[in-house]
Amino acid sequence: MKKTLLLLFIVALQACSDTTVQLPTDDVDKGSRIDSKLETNAVRSSSDIGTGIGVDTDNSIPTGIYFSNKKCGSDKTCKNFTPEKIDGKYVLFKNQDSNEAAYYLLVKDNAYYLYSLQFLDEDYSAVGSWSQLKRIDEPDLSFEIETIEQVMGSDYMGSYDNVNINNKLNTLANNSGLLEIGSLLEGNKIPTHETIKFIHTNDGYKVDCENYIKKYEEIADEFFKKNMAVGFHFYYECSSGNVIYFQDVNKLQ
C-alpha cells in the first residue's frame, strides 16, 4: 500500500496542441529578468539545435531538445503528440485537457534535464517540474534523479516541504501556466530517487520501462519510510504497460 500511495495521484495529460499562446506583457517582462538571471542555462535558439553538435553513441545523446512525441500501449496501439512552441521557444503548457503527461529531455553543455507536466490527484492538479539527470557510471544511457524542482502547481507534493510553499511557487511559470524548456526556475524542491534508462530507437529514444519498474521496486520501501517521492515521472505509464518515445524536436517540425 505504501508503495502505491504516491502513485495513485499520477494521471496522464492531454497532448500538446499547435495552438499559439501569447504571454501577458507583465509575464514577458518577468521572463526577461529570469532569462537574464539564468542566462548561462538558457536553451539555444531553435536554429542552433540539431546542427550536429554532439556525438550520438551508445552512451550519449547529442545536444538538443527531445519531446515525448509518441506513446504506445500494451495493446501496441500508439498515439502521436506535437510539442508546444511559443515565440520560437518550446514550453509545457498546463491549460490543456488532462489526459496525457508530456515530457521534454534537454541536452546542453554535457548536462541533461528532464521537464515534465502531469496532472496529479483527484482534482487534476497541474504540476510542472524540471530535474537534472545525473549520469550513472555505466556504458549505457542510465541516469539518476535525486530531486524534483516543482515550479508549477501547488498540490499535495508540497507536503514534503510545506513551509511557505505558495511563495516558493510564485514564479513566472506558475503565474502564466507556461514552463519554458531551458529555464531553471526555483520552486519547491522535492527529494526523490529515480533511475531512468533510455534505449536507442530508429528515430530517437525510448524509456526502458522494465528497468524503471525494477529499480523502483528495489528502493520503494526504503524511500517511503524517509518520506521521499519515488517513481514520480514514468511510473504510471510504465506500470500500465505503455512505452514512452522521445524524438528530436527538429524532426517533428
Side-chain angles (χ1 to χ4, degrees):
M1 177 65 72
K2 289 186 295 181
K3 284 187 179 181
T4 59
L5 180 59
L6 170 66
L7 304 165
L8 291 176
F9 293 98
I10 302 181
V11 296
L13 161 75
Q14 175 68 34
C16 297
S17 68
D18 290 324
T19 304
T20 300
V21 180
Q22 296 297 329
L23 284 172
T25 302
D26 291 344
D27 285 342
V28 173
D29 292 339
K30 292 178 184 176
S32 298
R33 294 195 294 271
I34 293 172
D35 287 342
S36 176
K37 178 181 177 182
L38 300 173
E39 182 176 357
T40 58
N41 296 316
V43 183
R44 294 178 300 117
S45 68
S46 58
S47 61
D48 292 335
I49 297 172
T51 55
I53 301 175
V55 179
D56 191 2
T57 67
D58 288 342
N59 60 358
S60 69
I61 299 176
T63 294
I65 300 176
Y66 302 82
F67 177 69
S68 56
N69 67 301
K70 184 172 71 173
K71 296 178 187 178
C72 299
S74 55
D75 60 357
K76 308 302 180 183
T77 59
C78 300
K79 296 180 181 180
N80 294 303
F81 307 99
T82 303
E84 184 77 40
K85 196 174 184 180
I86 299 176
D87 294 334
K89 297 179 180 180
Y90 290 96
V91 298
L92 288 168
F93 181 32
K94 76 177 181 181
N95 295 327
Q96 306 173 75
D97 292 334
S98 53
N99 187 35
E100 297 286 349
Y103 308 96
Y104 284 90
L105 175 65
L106 168 65
V107 184
K108 184 184 187 315
D109 298 333
N110 295 318
Y112 296 79
Y113 302 92
L114 181 64
Y115 290 76
S116 72
L117 183 58
Q118 297 169 306
F119 280 83
L120 307 183
D121 72 35
E122 64 274 12
D123 294 325
Y124 296 100
S125 301
V127 174
S129 67
W130 65 268
S131 302
Q132 184 165 4
L133 288 76
K134 298 181 180 179
R135 288 296 305 269
I136 297 175
D137 189 17
E138 295 181 4
D140 58 21
L141 298 174
S142 292
F143 301 85
E144 288 182 336
I145 293 180
E146 297 297 339
T147 58
I148 298 166
E149 196 79 21
Q150 182 186 321
V151 298
M152 217 160 52
S154 175
D155 72 332
Y156 88 102
M157 293 296 286
S159 65
Y160 293 99
D161 183 3
N162 57 15
V163 177
N164 209 20
I165 184 173
N166 289 329
N167 288 337
K168 295 180 76 172
L169 293 178
N170 186 23
T171 64
L172 171 65
N174 204 53
N175 294 332
S176 66
L178 299 174
L179 175 55
E180 181 183 322
I181 306 308
S183 294
L184 305 184
L185 296 170
E186 295 180 2
N188 188 39
K189 192 178 296 294
I190 301 167
T192 187
H193 189 91
E194 296 178 71
T195 299
I196 300 172
K197 180 180 178 181
F198 293 96
I199 299 175
H200 284 263
T201 65
N202 290 334
D203 55 4
Y205 306 88
K206 69 177 181 179
V207 176
D208 186 340
C209 275
E210 182 177 351
N211 179 267
Y212 188 88
I213 296 298
K214 176 184 176 182
K215 295 298 184 181
Y216 165 83
E217 291 177 344
E218 289 176 355
I219 64 171
D221 284 339
E222 174 187 353
F223 279 86
F224 271 110
K225 289 177 181 178
K226 297 178 180 179
N227 199 31
M228 296 174 67
V230 185
F232 181 86
H233 287 99
F234 300 115
Y235 187 91
Y236 178 81
E237 290 99 338
C238 287
S239 62
S240 300
N242 296 329
V243 181
I244 306 100
Y245 292 87
F246 285 79
Q247 192 170 1
D248 190 322
V249 292
N250 287 304
K251 296 179 180 180
L252 300 174
Q253 297 176 354

